[in-house]
């Protein structure tokens, strides 16, 4: 039986049709796709472990209660929430073949995936700004980058992302779906969803470009401009050793920027400007939404000397407490 035929729709009036359910058609006709599900499961488990561990370390070690690690904490929290919003539902949908999704759940699904992606994008901009001030204005860094300032920036990023993504979901809610209800994606993605509508989608088309610019293009441009300023500042440093030492502090962030923005930008530009096979887009989008969250704590934080010292300190304190407990017995 065709799954589409089982999807009923609630007709609100003669011109507006709101479907009861959509059908997610991702991962269709992909050979050995269960191996990919196993890979996603591994990614999700390691993402939860890595980011939860990093959040716990930053919370427990008071020496890490600095503006820089407030940004890292926000990134880890965003990675954890974003992966949790996406991957478990992917397993439920495709591994257990529950591809039908209720209309309201579909909008919520889309909202949370895009919301956390937006916050992650702008958190990377904040990290670039932090590196810019540390290298270009080292004497004024601690006066400019304070806890209240970073807290204000973080709150602003979350609120603006909330407003923009909520507007995107609200514009979907005004559409009428009187034709196909099959979403050619592995989740309720904005583009594949609004293209199913049979009334005017011009505002949704504009919103797609707004999202492209606000979540991908503008943050990436700001980061590139920041690093141009950093390179100019480093070129004025006479010592090559000092120049390399300063540049080395940026390498981890540059890797994070590359693995987050390049695949995301490539996929969205390909969809908007040319044809890309649905399965290729789905696989690429899946990795784009999941791999950065796995790699962020490893690349940017867990390998830094400051965090490693904090982890050793926590382990030492834990051993001392256990020793004291045993001696009392």
């Amino acid at each position: 039986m065709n799954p589409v035929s089982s999807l009923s729709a609630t007709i609100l009036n003669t011109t507006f049709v709101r479907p009861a359910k959509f059908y997610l058609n991702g991962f269709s006709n992909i050979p050995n796709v269960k191996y990919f599900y196993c890979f996603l499961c591994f990614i999700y488990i390691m993402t939860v472990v890595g980011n939860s561990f990093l959040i716990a370390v930053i919370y427990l070690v008071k020496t890490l209660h600095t503006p820089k690690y407030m940004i890292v904490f926000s990134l880890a929290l965003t990675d954890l929430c974003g992966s949790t919003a996406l991957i478990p539902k992917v397993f439920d949908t495709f591994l257990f073949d529950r591809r039908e999704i209720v209309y309201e759940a579909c909008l919520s699904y889309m909202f949370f995936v895009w919301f956390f992606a937006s916050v992650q994008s702008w958190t990377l901009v904040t990290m670039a700004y932090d590196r810019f001030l540390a290298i270009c204005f080292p004497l004024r860094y601690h006066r400019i980058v304070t806890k209240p300032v970073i807290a204000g920036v973080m709150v602003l990023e979350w609120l603006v992302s909330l407003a923009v993504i909520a507007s995107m979901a609200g514009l979907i809610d005004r559409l009428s779906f009187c034709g196909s209800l099959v979403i050619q994606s592995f989740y309720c993605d904005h583009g594949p969803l609004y293209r199913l509508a049979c009334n005017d989608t011009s505002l949704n088309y504009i919103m797609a470009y707004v999202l492209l610019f606000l979540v991908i293009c503008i943050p990436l441009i700001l980061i590139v401009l920041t690093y141009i300023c950093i390179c100019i500042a480093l070129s004025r440093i006479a010592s090559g050793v000092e120049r390399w030492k300063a540049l080395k502090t940026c390498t981890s962030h540059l890797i994070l920027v590359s693995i987050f923005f390049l695949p995301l930008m490539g996929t969205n530009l390909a969809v908007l400007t040319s044809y890309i096979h649905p399965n290729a887009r789905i696989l690429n989008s899946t990795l784009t939404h999941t791999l950065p969250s796995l790699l962020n704590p490893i690349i940017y934080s867990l390998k830094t000397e400051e965090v490693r010292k904090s982890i050793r300190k926590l382990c030492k304190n834990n051993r001392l407490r256990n020793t004291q407990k045993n001696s009392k017995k």
Side-chain angles (χ1 to χ4, degrees), residues 54-233:
L54 181 58
I55 288 170
V57 170
I58 295 173
Y59 177 77
L60 293 172
V61 180
K62 291 186 178 181
T63 55
L64 295 180
H65 294 182
T66 62
K68 175 184 174 181
Y69 283 98
M70 286 174 65
I71 305 172
V72 175
F73 185 94
S74 177
L75 182 64
L77 181 62
T78 304
D79 290 337
L80 181 61
C81 294
S83 295
T84 302
L86 178 67
I87 300 180
K89 184 59 180 174
V90 169
F91 291 150
D92 180 65
T93 302
F94 300 106
L95 194 59
F96 301 105
D97 199 25
R98 290 196 278 258
R99 294 174 179 250
E100 293 183 2
I101 182 169
V102 177
Y103 176 83
E104 291 79 8
C106 188
L107 291 189
S108 299
Y109 196 9
M110 178 183 66
F111 170 82
F112 284 110
V113 172
W114 273 98
F115 172 68
F116 289 117
S118 176
V119 175
Q120 186 179 15
S121 175
W122 283 98
T123 303
L124 291 173
V125 175
T126 309
M127 285 181 165
Y129 177 68
D130 175 76
R131 290 298 85 211
F132 164 74
L133 292 174
I135 293 172
C136 299
F137 303 98
L139 299 179
R140 298 170 57 190
Y141 174 79
H142 292 290
R143 289 203 304 270
I144 299 173
V145 183
T146 61
K147 289 182 181 180
V149 168
I150 294 300
V153 170
M154 293 289 102
V155 170
L156 182 64
E157 288 173 358
W158 284 68
L159 290 178
V160 171
S161 296
L162 179 67
V164 172
I165 306 305
S167 299
M168 175 193 74
L171 288 174
I172 292 290
D173 197 42
R174 56 176 282 279
L175 297 178
S176 179
F177 298 90
C178 52
S180 173
L181 300 177
V182 179
I183 301 174
Q184 299 294 338
S185 183
F186 66 101
Y187 77 103
C188 293
D189 200 358
H190 178 253
L193 181 56
Y194 86 78
R195 292 190 187 98
L196 296 177
C198 51
N199 59 340
D200 182 24
T201 60
S202 56
L203 287 177
N204 304 87
Y205 181 77
I206 293 170
M207 179 56 76
Y209 278 94
V210 169
L211 287 174
L212 179 65
F213 279 97
L214 284 181
V215 179
I216 303 173
C217 295
I218 294 177
L220 187 57
I221 290 170
L222 290 175
I223 291 171
V224 170
L225 290 175
T226 298
Y227 275 100
I228 289 173
C229 295
I230 289 173
C231 290
I232 293 172

